[in-house]
C-alpha cells in the first residue's frame, strides 16, 4: 500500500473495498495515511475508522481482548467526531460507532 494519502472520498472507497476483500489491515494503512495527512480536526474520524480495521484484524487472528478494546476506542473516537457536527464524508457516524460497539465480544 502506498503511504501517500488519498483524497478523503477515495480513502473511504479504497478502505471499504479492502475490508470487503478480506484485507482490513491494508484498509487501516489507507486510513492511517489520511489521518496523518489530514487536518487535526478530522483526526478522530480517520483514526476511529482505522481502529475499526485493526480491531477486525485482531478478531480474525483470535485476539478477542485486543479486538474488543479497539472496537470500543474506535466507537469513542467516532462519537467524539460526530459530536463536533463536522462533515463525515457521507458516513452515518452514529451507525458506524454503534456497529463498532456491537462487535465487541461478538467475534
Amino acid at each position: 500500500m502506498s503511504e501517500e494519502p488519498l483524497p478523503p472520498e477515495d480513502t473511504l472507497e479504497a478502505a471499504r473495498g479492502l475490508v470487503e476483500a478480506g484485507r482490513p489491515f491494508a484498509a487501516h494503512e489507507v486510513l492511517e495515511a489520511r489521518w496523518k495527512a489530514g487536518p487535526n480536526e478530522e483526526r478522530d474520524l480517520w483514526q476511529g475508522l482505522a481502529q475499526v480495521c485493526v480491531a477486525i484484524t485482531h478478531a480474525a487472528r483470535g485476539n478477542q481482548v485486543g479486538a474488543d478494546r479497539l472496537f470500543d476506542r474506535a466507537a469513542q473516537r467516532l462519537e467524539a467526531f460526530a459530536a463536533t457536527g463536522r462533515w463525515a464524508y457521507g458516513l452515518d457516524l452514529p451507525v458506524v460507532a454503534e456497529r463498532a460497539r456491537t462487535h465487541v465480544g461478538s467475534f
Side-chain angles (χ1 to χ4, degrees):
M1 303 274 35
S2 171
E3 291 186 24
E4 290 297 315
L6 298 171
E9 290 86 354
D10 294 345
T11 297
L12 292 173
E13 183 178 333
R16 185 177 294 121
L18 288 164
V19 169
E20 290 172 356
R23 300 181 59 208
F25 195 80
H28 156 268
E29 292 176 339
V30 169
L31 293 160
E32 182 179 55
R34 178 78 255 149
W35 114 47
K36 288 182 176 180
N40 195 45
E41 297 82 19
E42 293 184 359
R43 183 180 177 97
D44 280 338
L45 171 65
W46 301 112
Q47 195 168 25
L49 294 171
Q51 286 175 325
V52 167
C53 294
V54 176
I56 294 168
T57 301
H58 280 296
R61 294 178 179 168
N63 179 1
Q64 192 58 53
V65 172
D68 289 350
R69 287 181 183 149
L70 278 169
F71 277 128
D72 186 57
R73 279 191 235 148
Q76 289 174 24
R77 285 190 183 280
L78 296 172
E79 289 163 348
F81 184 82
T84 69
R86 289 189 177 89
W87 173 242
Y89 303 96
L91 293 176
D92 187 341
L93 289 186
V95 170
V96 177
E98 180 59 27
R99 287 186 181 169
R101 288 204 186 280
T102 60
H103 278 58
V104 173
S106 66
F107 278 91

